[in-house]
Amino acid sequence: MRMTDQTLELDCDKPTPTFSQRLAAGLAPLASLFRVFRNRMEINALHDLNDTQLRDIGLTRADLTSAFLASTFFEDPSEHLTRSARNRWRLSLFRSYAE
């Protein structure tokens, strides 16, 4: 009696995505665009603060302007503001240790 080798390939490691997973993946770019738009509106609201209030959160008016100039319409300018505030904070720490 002869036995032939048969292999059965099961594709168990790649489950098919559910409808909700496909929907979430399809809407992710739209959600990202909405987040960028919302952050731009919030940064516009920062222009209403005076210089002392901006300094309290580690920013200057020049930071607000450069954030818009450094980013295109579809990029998030809040990342630029976060970097500016962190760099200014680190510089102030360095100066306080140097004194």
Side-chain angles (χ1 to χ4, degrees), residues 3-76:
M3 281 190 87
T4 58
D5 291 331
Q6 291 185 346
T7 58
L8 181 60
E9 294 184 20
L10 298 174
D11 198 11
C12 294
D13 60 341
K14 296 180 185 176
T16 58
T18 63
F19 175 74
S20 60
Q21 290 171 334
R22 288 185 300 209
L23 183 65
L27 292 178
L30 184 62
S32 175
L33 185 63
F34 176 73
R35 187 179 320 108
V36 168
F37 179 72
R38 186 186 64 215
N39 287 344
R40 284 184 169 272
M41 297 300 289
E42 292 295 325
I43 292 171
N44 275 335
L46 289 176
H47 283 289
D48 295 338
L49 300 177
N50 62 31
D51 291 335
T52 306
Q53 292 169 327
L54 285 173
R55 193 175 34 230
D56 284 344
I57 59 175
L59 296 173
T60 63
R61 293 222 179 268
D63 291 336
L64 299 177
T65 304
S66 67
F68 279 113
L69 294 177
S71 61
T72 64
F73 181 74
F74 295 106
E75 291 176 339
D76 193 357

